[in-house]
Amino acid sequence: MVIYIDILLIENFIINLFLLLITLKALRYKYYKTVYIASIVGSLYTLVLFMDNKILASLPFKIIVVLLMVMISTKNYKLLKNIKSTIAFIIMSFTLCGFSFAFSMIDNYYSIFSDFTINDYSIKYLLISIMGLYVVIVRVIDYLRDRALINNFIYDIEISNEKNTLFIKGLLDTGNALREPVTNLPCIIIESTFLENFNIKSNEEFSIPYRTIGEDGNLKGFKTNTVRIRGEDEEWKVVEVILCKCKNKLSKENEFNALLSRGVI
């Protein structure tokens, strides 16, 4: 029997990814892109079949590998939660094995008076194709859901003074309650590169104290003539706010360049 290692690894990668996704979906656990790394780890573990090592092929070691895959996928290190996920993964694996065995009996003769041998399994690639299709559909649905959620919180922002007018996208940060303490005006944090044309005198600047987990400090802010915001399918609304500069990039994909505190809306 000829075994192609590359095909074996690819098939096991798809199966592991399929099992991880349905397991975490069933448990309603959040997973990350590292689920692909976890699937690769599980796929590489298949190479143990070619080694004469009873320890690596033992049941406890298999459970450890599954536990590692779950931890990589969820980035969660709570023992009880990971044990629950591991048990669910194993149950899903046994269920899939049962289905696979049932389908194998279609292509292979079975008799209680003789040993059962799988000589042909033409439906295998159909099952793997279905798993691959499920993985693609889940990824597309997750992407569209995330995009729809983000779009609901994206606002158009127009900032203008005597000389300049700026149009940018801003994300409403519902957990952000930043306000300037004297005027009690809400703040909009904007990437500093977009405010280079707005010349602000030092006596016109505001100092806004902020505090986050493990960090605190002061932001420099200013007011300008007109700031308008507009949500999706909404009319422009003039708001009175303090604009704060931020040196960091707010979105890796450049989907927005400002953060609105909840007091702006």
Side-chain angles (χ1 to χ4, degrees):
M1 181 178 180
V2 179
I3 298 176
Y4 297 96
I5 299 296
D6 54 345
I7 295 177
L8 178 67
L9 292 176
I10 291 172
E11 289 177 355
N12 277 274
F13 169 78
I14 295 173
I15 293 170
N16 286 324
L17 184 56
F18 171 77
L19 288 172
L20 282 170
L21 288 176
I22 63 173
T23 299
L24 298 176
K25 286 283 185 182
L27 295 175
R28 296 185 178 181
Y29 287 170
K30 184 178 180 180
Y31 59 89
Y32 299 87
K33 292 180 180 179
T34 49
V35 68
Y36 300 104
I37 298 176
S39 302
I40 293 173
V41 171
S43 179
L44 292 174
Y45 178 70
T46 310
L47 298 177
V48 171
L49 295 173
F50 302 97
M51 304 176 186
D52 187 17
N53 191 313
K54 294 183 179 180
I55 296 177
L56 293 178
S58 64
L59 179 60
F61 201 89
K62 290 178 181 178
I63 294 175
I64 291 173
V65 172
V66 174
L67 183 63
L68 179 63
M69 291 168 60
V70 169
M71 291 172 63
I72 293 173
S73 301
T74 60
K75 294 183 180 180
N76 189 297
Y77 306 103
K78 294 181 179 178
L79 183 60
L80 291 178
K81 189 173 183 179
N82 287 322
I83 290 175
K84 179 180 177 181
S85 302
T86 300
I87 293 172
F89 182 93
I90 293 173
I91 292 173
M92 295 291 183
S93 299
F94 278 122
T95 303
L96 180 60
C97 287
F99 275 112
S100 300
F101 180 76
F103 281 118
S104 71
M105 296 177 65
I106 297 174
D107 293 330
N108 299 271
Y109 176 74
Y110 170 69
S111 173
I112 60 174
F113 301 105
S114 60
D115 295 334
F116 179 70
T117 304
I118 299 177
N119 297 312
D120 186 24
Y121 197 10
S122 59
I123 203 170
K124 177 181 74 171
Y125 293 105
L126 175 61
L127 292 174
I128 292 177
S129 299
I130 293 173
M131 293 179 199
L133 181 61
Y134 174 83
V135 169
V136 172
I137 290 174
V138 166
R139 186 69 191 94
V140 170
I141 291 175
D142 286 346
Y143 175 78
L144 293 177
R145 184 185 292 116
D146 290 343
R147 290 296 309 158
L149 181 63
I150 290 176
N151 288 338
N152 289 336
F153 292 92
I154 293 290
Y155 285 77
D156 295 316
I157 305 174
E158 179 192 70
I159 303 169
S160 60
N161 61 11
E162 295 83 358
K163 299 180 180 179
N164 305 291
T165 299
L166 172 66
F167 290 94
I168 56 173
K169 297 283 186 178
L171 175 69
L172 175 61
D173 184 1
T174 55
N176 178 2
L178 187 63
R179 287 179 177 270
E180 198 281 319
V182 177
T183 62
N184 198 35
L185 291 176
C187 299
I188 298 179
I189 301 173
I190 303 173
E191 294 175 13
S192 57
T193 53
F194 289 89
L195 299 175
E196 291 177 350
N197 294 327
F198 289 79
N199 297 318
I200 310 301
K201 298 178 181 179
S202 58
N203 60 349
E204 295 178 347
E205 282 188 338
F206 293 85
S207 181
I208 301 99
Y210 71 91
R211 176 175 295 177
T212 60
I213 299 175
E215 183 182 355
D216 55 37
N218 290 276
L219 289 173
K220 297 297 182 182
F222 68 94
K223 289 184 64 175
T224 188
N225 290 359
T226 305
V227 177
R228 300 197 302 167
I229 63 172
R230 179 180 62 182
E232 188 176 6
D233 301 325
E234 296 180 6
E235 298 294 330
W236 284 103
K237 179 175 69 172
V238 177
V239 292
E240 190 175 4
V241 296
I242 302 295
L243 304 177
C244 301
K245 294 182 180 181
C246 173
K247 295 180 181 179
N248 300 326
K249 190 78 175 174
L250 297 176
S251 171
K252 292 181 180 179
E253 292 78 19
N254 208 36
E255 295 173 312
F256 55 88
N257 305 104
L259 289 178
L260 290 77
S261 66
R262 60 173 180 257
V264 175
I265 306 304

